[in-house]
Every structure is written in structure tokens, then in C-alpha cells.
Amino acid sequence: MKNLLTEKQVMLISGTRKGLGKSFAEYYSKKGFTVIGCSRKPIDYKIKNYYHFCLDVSDEKKVKEMFFFIKKKFGRLDVLINNAGIGSMNHSLLTPISTVHRILNTNLVANFIMSTESAKIMKKNRFGRIVNLVSFAVPFKLEGEAIYAASKAAIISLTETLSREFADYGITVNAVSPPAIPTDLIKGVPKEKMTNLLKRQAIHRYGKPSEVCYVIDFFISKKNNMVTGEIVFMGGV
Amino acid sequence: MSDIHETITEIVFDAIDEINLDLVNKKILKSLDSELYGHKDLLDSFELVNFIVLVEEKIQERLSKTITLTDDKALSQDYSPFRTVGTLVDYIDTSLNEKSID
């Protein structure tokens, strides 16, 4: 079925206000994608071919309105990067339940809503690429990150199951775990802990956003029809 | 038949037209008595998912209302609202009505 309003590939990225999400928006806009981004707070930058929505990704109604816009304006969605995520460094005995709900809503529930709404548009064109962001907090079993790691473990499971549910629609679902990268997400982590963490990676240095983009490029390539349900842990975890 | 019930019926019939284009060797009839699933000549589970998503999309387009047809309420009914075209139309009508009361 070909009923596309635009020839350009359309990509949706969650959590584009800063960090990796912003880097992805810049990189893929330069590569010729029309990029739609979202974040709770407004952005302070301008990118060509970029549209921004201010919303909470776990707010189903707002998210559905955004997808309605995508469908009407572009008639297609080729790629979703589920990047939005929050953490909270704290011992589990000191973690309030409100924080647990907040992390699960943003990291897991929102991932599910974004993925299913994306798939509804993608399946019409029999093509789609969904890339989830997971974390080394899962295999490293990082103390102080119990709920964050649990949410990312759930996304690994979601990646694997959705890859099977969406395969018949021509949609692949994969996940990448970036190496340690100095972003806001780890700014509260003590330096000594980060040094120890880097030692646990096979490659003992911080990664760069561009290196994560190489992995995403592989997952979202139009030629890459046979790789789905895969999780790539970068840095040699 | 109320205006909204008639509109919902049109929307569901419209979705049947579209889903029929994808069906091989079977067709869903545009009648309120038509069964939707249950034996091999009707929709299989994959086709039923596609059909429900299509109906939800058409409701959003025509009525500017978002609706989730497979919520807990639908799944806990003694008789599935997806049995026939008619039961589906009635279920959508009730759901939209309850939503407007909310």
C-alpha cells in the first residue's frame, strides 16, 4: 500500500530535549529524515526538518494526539527510537513508591504506548523499525538502580515479544544498550563508581553518541529485514 | 436507530470494506448479523486484531474520539462484543456514550 504524503523517511524519537535523544535528532535530521521529537519540557535548540511536542510520554491521550498529527501530516512513520528514560540513584530501601511508579511509567509504560501506536501507522506501509534503548544496569546488576534496571529488563523482554508480534507487519524491533556516556542520566553517579563501571566494560572508556548511532543505523537500514528481537550491548558488557 | 448508531454502523461497514481487500478466499458481510470470528471462514486472531485497530482509527478520524475497544471491560464481558458486527456496533455506541458521560 503506497499512500504516502512525503517521500522522506519519518522518524519519531522520544526524550529529545538533551543527551542522547538530542544527538539522535541532530544526526538523523542531517541524514535526511523528517524527525519528530518529544519531551516534557520545551527545547532550546533548532534543527532543520524537526518537529517538537511537549508531552509526558506516559500520557496516552497526549501521545495519541501526537500520532494523529504524524498520520495526518506525513501519512507514514518509518522509525521509532524509544529513547526517553529516567533513573533515580537510590538504595531500594530508600526508594519511595511514587518514584517506582514514575520510573516504570516513563521507561516501560511509555515505551509500550509509543511502540504500539507506531506499529499501527507502520503496518499500513508494511515497513517499520523500532529501536529501544536499554542499559548495562541490567547485566551489571547495578546497586542503587534496582527499579531502573528492572524497567530496562522489562524493555528487553518487550523488545523480544513485540519483535514476534510485529514481524508479520514488516516491522523489526531491536534494542541497543549504549556504553557509559557522560550524560545527565549519570551525572549523579560518583566518579569512582563510574571508573569501576568502565573497568567492567571490555572497552574501558566512555562512548560517544555517534557510536550509538552506528548501531541504530544498522537496525533501521531498509535492507535489514532479517534482524529483529536482538539486543546489542555496546562497550563489551 | 439513532444518528450516532447509524454513523458507527457506517464506520464499521467502512472498516469491513477495507479489511475485505486483505482477506483471501473469504469476506465479511456488511450486515449487523454477520459473525466476525469463530470458525475458519471468518477472521483469524491476526485479522481480528487488524480489524479492531482499523475500527478504532476510523472512529478517531470520523468522530474525533479516541477509543480502546479491547479494554478490561470488553474482555470481561460474558459474551464477547466482537462476536458479530451488530454486537460490535452496540458495544462502540455504549462505550462512546459512557465516555461522554465521564
Side-chain angles (χ1 to χ4, degrees):
Chain A
M1 176 180 161
K2 286 282 167 197
N3 181 24
L4 310 179
L5 298 175
T6 172
E7 284 300 310
K8 276 182 147 187
Q9 281 206 298
V10 177
M11 174 184 282
L12 172 61
I13 309 169
S14 64
T16 48
R17 191 170 68 87
K18 56 187 180 177
L20 271 178
K22 181 183 174 187
S23 301
F24 295 154
E26 288 169 340
Y27 177 79
Y28 286 105
S29 164
K30 275 185 196 154
K31 282 198 91 172
F33 283 82
T34 295
V35 179
I36 299 131
C38 61
S39 61
R40 273 171 299 177
K41 294 178 187 167
I43 52 171
D44 58 3
Y45 59 84
K46 278 191 177 171
I47 299 175
K48 213 176 157 190
N49 297 320
Y50 178 82
Y51 299 78
H52 192 82
F53 282 79
C54 276
L55 53 82
D56 178 342
V57 279
S58 63
D59 183 337
E60 187 182 7
K61 189 168 178 290
K62 294 281 179 203
V63 169
K64 283 190 169 179
E65 285 169 7
M66 176 173 69
F67 278 96
F68 194 60
F69 165 84
I70 294 171
K71 203 161 50 177
K72 287 288 161 201
K73 175 109 181 145
F74 306 110
R76 67 189 288 169
L77 179 63
D78 301 278
V79 182
L80 165 69
I81 302 180
N82 270 316
N83 166 72
I86 55 171
S88 171
M89 269 293 290
N90 215 341
H91 193 284
S92 58
L93 298 183
L94 303 175
T95 302
I97 293 303
S98 58
T99 302
V100 174
H101 286 300
R102 198 163 50 84
I103 292 174
L104 290 178
N105 276 338
T106 302
N107 295 5
L108 176 61
V109 177
N111 187 299
F112 182 80
I113 298 171
M114 296 283 282
S115 300
T116 51
E117 290 304 312
S118 292
K120 287 175 190 174
I121 301 180
M122 291 170 173
K123 80 184 188 67
K124 285 187 186 297
N125 301 322
R126 309 292 302 170
F127 176 86
R129 300 282 183 260
I130 297 176
V131 181
N132 293 327
L133 272 282
V134 293
S135 170
F136 51 70
V138 180
F140 281 174
K141 302 165 181 66
L142 293 183
E143 303 97 322
E145 301 274 9
I147 295 304
Y148 176 74
S151 72
K152 292 296 184 180
I155 292 172
I156 291 174
S157 171
L158 203 58
T159 302
E160 292 167 344
T161 308
L162 292 187
S163 72
R164 288 170 178 268
E165 290 196 6
F166 294 169
D168 285 343
Y169 300 127
I171 301 168
T172 65
V173 188
N174 292 288
V176 56
S177 167
I181 295 177
T183 65
D184 278 4
L185 198 64
I186 58 167
K187 71 180 179 191
V189 182
K191 199 178 170 194
E192 190 191 336
K193 191 170 177 179
M194 285 311 300
T195 307
N196 288 335
L197 213 148
L198 289 176
K199 281 183 191 163
R200 293 173 73 180
Q201 291 184 177
I203 300 169
H204 308 301
R205 67 163 173 83
Y206 284 110
K208 298 173 196 160
S210 59
E211 291 168 325
V212 184
C213 289
Y214 298 150
V215 178
I216 297 177
D217 282 345
F218 167 70
F219 282 146
I220 70 174
S221 164
K222 280 184 178 174
K223 294 176 184 169
N224 195 349
N225 293 310
M226 276 299 279
V227 175
T228 193
E230 298 295 339
I231 320 293
V232 170
F233 283 93
M234 295 178 68
V237 168
Chain B
M1 193 188 280
S2 69
D3 285 351
I4 184 69
H5 201 274
E6 207 167 309
T7 306
I8 294 166
T9 306
E10 280 172 18
I11 290 170
V12 173
F13 281 3
D14 200 18
I16 290 173
D17 278 339
E18 205 168 319
I19 204 81
N20 276 341
L21 295 174
D22 293 330
L23 299 179
V24 181
N25 296 330
K26 58 184 171 187
K27 293 279 176 262
I28 300 297
L29 297 176
K30 285 197 289 183
S31 155
L32 292 176
D33 297 328
S34 287
E35 290 180 290
L36 289 171
Y37 73 96
H39 58 86
K40 67 177 177 56
D41 294 331
L42 303 174
L43 299 176
D44 63 24
S45 57
F46 182 71
E47 291 157 350
L48 185 64
V49 169
N50 288 341
F51 179 66
I52 293 169
V53 169
L54 197 57
V55 171
E56 287 177 349
E57 283 176 355
K58 289 187 180 296
I59 290 169
Q60 189 182 27
E61 281 166 15
R62 289 274 297 273
L63 305 175
S64 300
K65 287 182 179 173
T66 54
I67 186 169
T68 303
L69 294 173
T70 47
D71 58 8
D72 291 344
K73 193 180 128 221
L75 300 177
S76 63
Q77 308 257 316
D78 288 340
Y79 298 101
S80 165
F82 310 113
R83 287 188 326 276
T84 67
V85 173
T87 57
L88 176 61
V89 169
D90 289 345
Y91 182 71
I92 295 169
D93 195 349
T94 309
S95 296
L96 288 175
N97 198 28
E98 283 172 1
K99 215 173 171 192
S100 62
I101 293 167
D102 293 345

